[in-house]
Amino acid sequence: MIKKSKNVFLVSLGCPKNLVDSEVMLGSLEKSGYNICETAESADLLLVNTCGFIQSAVEEAVEEILDLAEIKKQFPDKQLVVTGCLVQRYGADLQKEIPEVDLFIGTDGFQNLISHLESLETSPPPVLSPLVTPSFVMNSSTPRSISTPSHRAYMKITEGCSNRCSYCMIPALRGNLRSRNPEDLLKEVQIHEQSGVRELTLIAQDLTSYGLDFGRKDVNLVALLKNILASSSIPWIRLLYLYPVRLQDELLDLMAENSRILPYLDLPLQHVSDRILKLMNRPYSLVETQKLIERIRLKLPESAIRTTFMTGFPGEREEDVDTLAAFMQEFELDHVGIFTYSNEEGCKAEMLPDHCSEEIKEKRKDRLMELQASISKKKNSRFVGKTEQVLVEGISQETELLLEGRTRFQAPDIDGCVYINSGECAPGDLVNVTFSEAHIYDLVGEIV
Ligand code: SF4
């Protein structure tokens, strides 16, 4: 039996979907008497929930594990547990290479962390042979300790992904699409509303594929959103990870009719060159993408569009990057993340010919980042003199002299923010701010 009042120190890496898994683990630990502590030194349990879908994430995770393994060497009574995508990918190797780790758990099983810890008291940790394909799907009664500020939360509506983008490891690490039950999601919305959430962000690998695995016409993203709107009064509902080909007019129309669904579209495009999109196994074209952006702008003229592009995909030529730059210039998207292709062992793209050098990948990324910086500055300057609703996050991380918040067009943890230089407010307040300054990513203004 676990001794009451132990401390846990958590490092949660990767995306908001992995953060929700971390919150599930914290929830079950708290339920078993653990307290969450801020330093590894004061913890009994050191927990790292890893990301592992690209090499840079793998390196970051291994570094975090080794840092905590050093602390474990000094304090052998501490337990070190590593979970998540890195374990799903390299579990057996890690077990051999980092013996300081007491327990490795992949992307399924973290929900039973307590029983795994209890079994450690009587038997050695399970030997990790290739890990099972994940099947777990959380629900509204899964213990969870929300780690985001109390005025906002993520709601993960599916697990896994059934798309097969040729550069992506996620289906192999997270399994195929598994949608959560719509009634159960509404229960979770109630829980968030009762705990004071003002901004609920819906997340998934591909939000638009919600319900496809149910094979029922009435289970889909639009139906879910209509029920969330009808059964709650949460003022801000944000959508992340929309898959371009599944972004239907029905969703755009619902967004146009309901300002509680924020006019913010996170739409990972990855590229716009037809030849590269084909090699990526992304089933759309430049023309279709142009039409999609035009449709969005027609139905949601004030909306902000976020996307990601990848440079240096195998076979990419300068003219493909020219096509991408011309598209960025023409459509001036609000938020653009540029990543270099990461050649992942086990991905289809690994087998493609004509891989680009790291130098070329970086050169192309820099060129597009520079272009986007001028576009972002221009787009942001349209807010100067204007007044927008801002969700207050609290004292700025930059300086105590400023407060920080975000507009409807700025997602948490990925986009710029608003610095508030005058006016009274508290975290979670929705206030009106008139902007006096615009920078590449951030805005400055005062409460009116
Ligand atoms: S949509 Fe593509 S890139 Fe995104 S998780 Fe699925 S397979 Fe990976």
Side-chain angles (χ1 to χ4, degrees), residues 95-194:
Q95 204 165 33
K96 285 195 216 93
E97 285 151 27
I98 318 180
E100 295 85 357
V101 175
D102 298 288
L103 180 64
F104 287 100
I105 302 175
T107 54
D108 195 337
F110 63 86
Q111 70 280 13
N112 306 321
L113 177 58
I114 292 298
S115 57
H116 285 298
L117 287 172
E118 283 169 353
S119 60
L120 272 186
E121 289 173 14
T122 52
S123 51
V127 174
L128 288 178
S129 52
L131 282 140
V132 293
T133 302
S135 58
F136 171 66
V137 179
M138 65 178 290
N139 62 51
S140 58
S141 55
T142 304
R144 182 177 167 196
S145 169
I146 304 285
S147 63
T148 47
S150 60
H151 57 266
R152 60 182 169 91
Y154 291 108
M155 184 164 79
K156 185 156 62 166
I157 69 171
T158 73
E159 290 285 356
C161 183
S162 295
N163 303 326
R164 288 292 181 272
C165 306
S166 63
Y167 52 82
C168 184
M169 283 299 295
I170 292 171
L173 302 178
R174 292 273 172 182
N176 278 332
L177 172 70
R178 309 184 299 286
S179 299
R180 288 180 56 189
N181 171 289
E183 288 76 33
D184 180 66
L185 284 168
L186 295 182
K187 281 194 199 134
E188 182 175 331
V189 171
Q190 289 312 313
I191 294 168
H192 290 308
E193 177 154 24
Q194 277 142 26

Side-chain angles (χ1 to χ4, degrees), residues 143-438:
R144 182 177 167 196
S145 169
I146 304 285
S147 63
T148 47
S150 60
H151 57 266
R152 60 182 169 91
Y154 291 108
M155 184 164 79
K156 185 156 62 166
I157 69 171
T158 73
E159 290 285 356
C161 183
S162 295
N163 303 326
R164 288 292 181 272
C165 306
S166 63
Y167 52 82
C168 184
M169 283 299 295
I170 292 171
L173 302 178
R174 292 273 172 182
N176 278 332
L177 172 70
R178 309 184 299 286
S179 299
R180 288 180 56 189
N181 171 289
E183 288 76 33
D184 180 66
L185 284 168
L186 295 182
K187 281 194 199 134
E188 182 175 331
V189 171
Q190 289 312 313
I191 294 168
H192 290 308
E193 177 154 24
Q194 277 142 26
S195 65
V197 165
R198 316 298 308 279
E199 178 185 26
L200 184 65
T201 300
L202 275 56
I203 58 174
Q205 300 298 349
D206 164 7
L207 212 67
T208 46
S209 66
Y210 174 70
L212 289 180
D213 51 325
F214 271 57
R216 281 173 34 197
K217 280 213 166 4
D218 62 334
V219 180
N220 57 60
L221 182 59
V222 170
L224 175 66
L225 287 167
K226 284 181 179 167
N227 287 330
I228 293 175
L229 290 167
S231 65
S232 85
S233 58
I234 293 177
W236 280 19
I237 298 163
R238 192 181 297 278
L239 310 179
L240 294 185
Y241 312 104
L242 302 164
Y243 192 70
V245 277
R246 290 198 191 96
L247 186 51
Q248 308 299 340
D249 278 355
E250 220 194 337
L251 176 60
L252 298 176
D253 293 339
L254 183 70
M255 294 173 79
E257 291 147 17
N258 294 279
S259 61
R260 287 171 56 204
I261 307 177
L262 299 177
Y264 179 93
L265 293 116
D266 172 39
L267 199 65
L269 293 169
Q270 309 302 2
H271 217 294
V272 294
S273 146
D274 292 356
R275 200 172 56 79
I276 298 299
L277 286 168
K278 202 161 184 330
L279 291 169
M280 286 179 164
N281 194 26
R282 303 276 293 184
Y284 47 88
S285 67
L286 171 61
V287 172
E288 285 161 335
T289 306
Q290 292 167 330
K291 288 201 174 112
L292 174 61
I293 305 296
E294 283 156 4
R295 259 191 312 128
I296 293 171
R297 295 236 163 107
L298 190 66
K299 290 179 181 289
L300 297 162
E302 68 160 354
S303 63
I305 300 175
R306 154 167 278 282
T307 195
T308 51
F309 291 125
M310 190 187 288
T311 61
F313 190 81
E316 187 187 61
R317 303 177 191 134
E318 276 309 321
E319 63 258 32
D320 299 308
V321 186
D322 295 342
T323 306
L324 188 44
F327 173 87
M328 290 169 67
Q329 196 87 58
E330 181 184 351
F331 286 92
E332 296 190 334
L333 303 180
D334 303 81
H335 310 284
V336 175
I338 314 274
F339 301 89
T340 56
Y341 167 73
S342 181
N343 193 36
E344 294 305 321
E345 182 198 337
C347 272
K348 273 231 175 74
E350 185 191 15
M351 301 309 166
L352 291 172
D354 308 325
H355 284 246
C356 305
S357 69
E358 289 308 315
E359 194 209 342
I360 286 194
K361 292 179 192 174
E362 289 298 333
K363 209 164 113 276
R364 291 173 178 175
K365 174 184 172 182
D366 295 347
R367 171 186 168 190
L368 299 178
M369 288 289 283
E370 203 181 313
L371 169 60
Q372 183 59 29
S374 61
I375 292 169
S376 293
K377 178 81 172 43
K378 178 180 167 198
K379 299 279 296 195
N380 250 359
S381 56
R382 76 186 194 279
F383 287 105
V384 175
K386 298 258 175 43
T387 300
E388 270 292 329
Q389 197 182 40
V390 166
L391 178 62
V392 179
E393 291 283 1
I395 304 286
S396 168
Q397 288 151 17
E398 305 298 320
T399 160
E400 289 187 356
L401 303 173
L402 295 172
L403 290 156
E404 218 171 274
R406 283 173 296 105
T407 68
R408 299 169 299 152
F409 310 111
Q410 297 170 317
D413 307 324
I414 40 175
D415 296 326
C417 68
V418 172
Y419 293 108
I420 300 168
N421 56 16
S422 150
E424 299 295 314
C425 59
D429 286 357
L430 282 167
V431 296
N432 290 326
V433 172
T434 299
F435 304 109
S436 50
E437 283 173 49

